[in-house]
Every structure is written in C-alpha cells, then in structure tokens.
Amino acid sequence: MSYAFNMDEILMRLDQRRSSAKKDQNKRREEVYDKIPEIKEIDDKLREGTILAIRNNIHSTDEKEGVGSIAALAELQKKNDILSAKKRKLLIEHGYDEDYLELRYVCPLCKDEGYVNGEKCRCLKQMIIEERYRQSNIARRLSEENFSTFDISYYSKETASGEEISPYENIKNILDRAKKYIHNFESQRGSIIIFGETGRGKTFLTNCIAKEILDQGHSVLYLSAGELVDDVINSYLFRRDDGEGDIEKKARYDFVSDADLLIIDDLGTESLNRQSVTQLFRVINNRIVAGKATIISSNLDIKGIRDNYTERFASRIAENYDFYNIFGANIRMAKKRRMLEH
C-alpha cells in the first residue's frame, strides 16, 4: 500500500478511461462499417464537409462569400443534419441503437476529464474519496460499522448508582457531539479521546466518525497503537535496510503526520517501553502543534494514561482533546444475548 496520495495517478486513470472509450468506439465503428458500408460513406462525407468548412472559414475574408460565410455554414449544417438523420435510421434498421457509434464515457457529465467548468466533477471527487478509503486501513469495516448501523438500543436506560445519566442518555449525547465534530471538521480539526471498558462501542464509534470524514474527501489513517508503534514508527526508525522498502516505510511514517485525521485504536495495548512512550508522545504532540486532528480510543482514562505513560503525555491529551466517556454494560455481550434469544 502506498500512503503517499498522488493526484497524478487519479488523472492518469481518467486518461485511461478516455483512451478505452475511444478504443471501444473504434471497435464498434469497424463492426458497423463492415455490416453497413453506407454508414462509412456517410461518415466520410460528414468528415469532408467539416474539414472544408474549417479550411474555408480560416481563409475567407468575405463573410458573404465562400464556404466560410454564414449562409454557407448554415447550408453545410443542413446537409450534415440530413446525413446524420439517415445514419441514425440505418442503425435502427439494422438492429442498433441510434447512438451506438457515440463515445461511451464512464462519466458522461465531464466526459472523463474530471472537471466541469473548472470545478471537480462528482466522479473525480468520488475517486479521491475512494483513494482516501484505500489509504485508511478500514475500508471494509466501514460498510458494517457506521452511524446507520449504530444501535443505541443496546445501552441501558437505567441510571446506575453514582452516575448522573443513564448509558442510553450518555451515548445519545456522545453521538450528537460526534456529529457536530464531523460537521465542523473542515474548520476546527479538533482531537478526541474515547475511553471506556472493553466492549462498550469505542471502536464502533471511531469507525462511524472515520467514515463520515472519509466521505467528505479527507485523508484518514487508522492504526492500532501496536501497529503504529511497531509496524510504522519502529519499522522506519530502527529497522532501516536502505533498500526500496525504506521508501514505503517512510511514506507510512510521513502519513502518520500528514493525514487529516489519525486514529489510534486501543491505546495502552501496545508493548510499553521508554522508546514506544517517547515515540507515541512525539506523534501526538507533533499533530497538536500542526493543528492536525487525532482520535484515540482506549480502555484507559486520563489517570490510567498518566500511570502507564507519563504526566507530560497525559497533560497534552487532557489539555487538547475532547473526552467521550462511554459507560454501561458490555455491548458485545448484549448483542450475543439478543442473537441467541432470536
């Protein structure tokens, strides 16, 4: 996987689409010419008339005379219309659609150019989004875990002792906050830490947010804390081989800093040592300084982060992140029980 987003690659794919459309048109044209020679004669006449009109329009100095004059051009257009109508009729008579010889673009709106009136076409925007998905590491998961499948009925409406609101009310509030975060992402780029015990829906909520940010066309990189430390940071900084593999390692390492949104899942489950703590702090701090958004999910609350990492580590998160505390019963177990009941 290449983590360096390359717009040139997308534009190259659009160019390939146009080339394929032209090849397909030529193939269909040869088929029709072989079956209906009269259509080739019509196309030749249309082509000759167009060339003649262009030539005479360039060299004509008198608007009232020559093929380049307005009257002559109007007459040529009339002849072309008659020939085109005859061509469509022949196609239909031989069992073809009247537009069988037209170019067939993947996107007829921009004709696979990617732009309409200087603005990105919706097809280009979609290609960019798909590329962001490919880079994110979680494309397949998001089809199942998103806001449309987030079922809050698994959360209890009963308020437990010591809590001000029920798990149900709490998750509703958190979902509202998450949706506001998504709505304001372009302008605010804030960071979030989602914490709570295992099975409360932290990763599910993270995926919901990731999907919406990706659908806006932003870049998202999703990594578990272990993957971030071992497969990205340590792999690049401490396992250099000076070969082509280092190019990919550097791209992944750079993308940790460059992604619009970095998601670190299960902070606290990675192998902890002085080196990993230092590198994780550096990632989190650098993104804060750069104004980049980060979402962390963890079984640890801020006290647990302080105890497992450092006071400085915990302070940077406490000062710069919004806290989403998900509490209540184990949702995974609740889902299993409901499945068994049905």
Side-chain angles (χ1 to χ4, degrees):
M1 176 187 291
S2 175
Y3 286 76
F5 179 70
N6 191 342
M7 189 65 178
D8 289 340
E9 292 180 6
I10 290 180
L11 296 177
M12 189 179 298
R13 281 160 55 194
L14 287 171
D15 183 61
Q16 290 170 348
R17 284 183 179 182
R18 295 193 299 273
S19 296
S20 295
K22 191 65 180 176
K23 288 178 182 177
D24 178 62
Q25 182 192 42
N26 289 336
K27 184 177 179 181
R28 284 180 279 114
R29 183 183 290 125
E30 289 175 8
E31 171 199 338
V32 169
Y33 284 175
D34 185 60
K35 189 173 182 179
I36 319 170
E38 191 175 354
I39 286 184
K40 183 179 186 309
E41 296 174 9
I42 291 173
D43 279 350
D44 288 341
K45 289 178 182 178
L46 288 169
R47 194 177 302 109
E48 289 170 5
T50 301
I51 293 172
L52 183 63
I54 293 171
R55 183 183 301 127
N56 282 275
N57 194 46
I58 292 173
H59 296 293
S60 176
T61 58
D62 189 342
E63 291 185 359
K64 296 181 180 180
E65 297 179 0
V67 180
S69 69
I70 294 174
L73 288 172
E75 181 62 27
L76 176 63
Q77 185 61 54
K78 183 179 178 180
K79 290 179 181 179
N80 285 350
D81 290 343
I82 293 171
L83 288 169
S84 296
K86 185 177 181 181
K87 177 179 174 180
R88 290 193 295 271
K89 183 180 179 182
L90 283 168
L91 285 167
I92 293 170
E93 287 176 352
H94 286 80
Y96 294 101
D97 293 331
E98 64 177 34
D99 61 352
Y100 185 71
L101 293 178
E102 299 299 318
L103 277 166
R104 295 174 177 173
Y105 297 105
V106 175
C107 178
L109 189 63
C110 69
K111 297 182 179 178
D112 294 336
E113 292 287 345
Y115 291 85
V116 179
N117 298 324
E119 299 292 330
K120 286 188 181 74
C121 180
R122 62 190 180 195
C123 72
L124 178 56
K125 291 178 181 178
Q126 185 59 36
M127 291 173 77
I128 292 172
I129 289 171
E130 289 170 358
E131 177 65 13
R132 299 305 192 192
Y133 266 74
R134 188 187 68 80
Q135 291 179 331
S136 71
N137 265 7
I138 52 171
R140 287 176 292 181
R141 209 180 306 170
L142 299 190
S143 63
E144 298 177 357
E145 298 185 2
N146 51 70
F147 282 119
S148 67
T149 60
F150 197 110
D151 188 352
I152 63 174
S153 69
Y154 287 106
Y155 294 83
S156 173
K157 294 184 179 181
E158 299 294 325
T159 303
S161 175
E163 299 290 353
E164 296 182 358
I165 60 175
S166 69
Y168 181 86
E169 292 172 301
N170 180 61
I171 197 64
K172 279 188 67 177
N173 291 339
I174 286 174
L175 289 176
D176 287 342
R177 291 169 63 193
K179 289 174 182 178
K180 287 179 183 177
Y181 172 83
I182 292 160
H183 179 74
N184 296 322
F185 185 82
E186 182 64 42
S187 59
Q188 296 184 7
R189 303 292 174 96
S191 293
I192 298 168
I193 180 164
I194 306 172
F195 61 94
E197 296 179 20
T198 300
R200 269 58 181 180
K202 301 186 300 295
T203 298
F204 201 121
L205 177 59
T206 299
N207 291 342
C208 292
I209 297 171
K211 182 181 188 306
E212 298 300 317
I213 300 301
L214 282 164
D215 285 347
Q216 292 178 5
H218 298 291
S219 57
V220 177
L221 178 59
Y222 181 106
L223 294 166
S224 70
E227 289 173 329
L228 175 58
V229 171
D230 195 54
D231 296 342
V232 179
I233 297 173
N234 290 345
S235 180
Y236 174 65
L237 294 180
F238 307 110
R239 300 177 198 149
R240 307 296 294 275
D241 55 22
D242 296 324
E244 291 185 4
D246 275 347
I247 297 174
E248 179 68 8
K249 288 179 181 180
K250 185 177 188 306
R252 287 189 298 173
Y253 184 78
D254 289 345
F255 197 42
V256 168
S257 299
D258 296 339
D260 295 330
L261 173 62
L262 172 66
I263 295 172
I264 306 173
D265 193 28
D266 276 338
L267 183 74
T269 59
E270 73 281 3
S271 298
L272 285 174
N273 53 49
R274 177 180 289 183
Q275 177 178 291
S276 62
V277 170
T278 299
Q279 295 304 326
L280 276 171
F281 176 81
R282 182 174 296 171
V283 167
I284 289 168
N285 190 61
N286 287 349
R287 289 186 65 83
I288 290 171
V289 172
K292 295 281 189 177
T294 307
I295 294 179
I296 296 172
S297 74
S298 180
N299 294 344
L300 304 172
D301 60 12
I302 198 66
K303 180 179 181 301
I305 291 174
R306 184 188 64 202
D307 294 343
N308 281 269
Y309 297 88
T310 64
E311 178 72 39
R312 188 182 181 206
F313 194 112
S315 293
R316 289 299 276 162
I317 292 175
E319 293 166 3
N320 295 278
Y321 281 59
D322 286 334
F323 282 56
Y324 291 10
N325 179 17
I326 303 180
F327 56 83
N330 189 311
I331 303 304
R332 292 178 195 165
M333 296 304 297
K335 288 182 178 180
K336 288 180 180 178
R337 283 196 300 270
R338 189 178 292 184
M339 288 176 63
L340 290 173
E341 290 170 0
H342 292 80

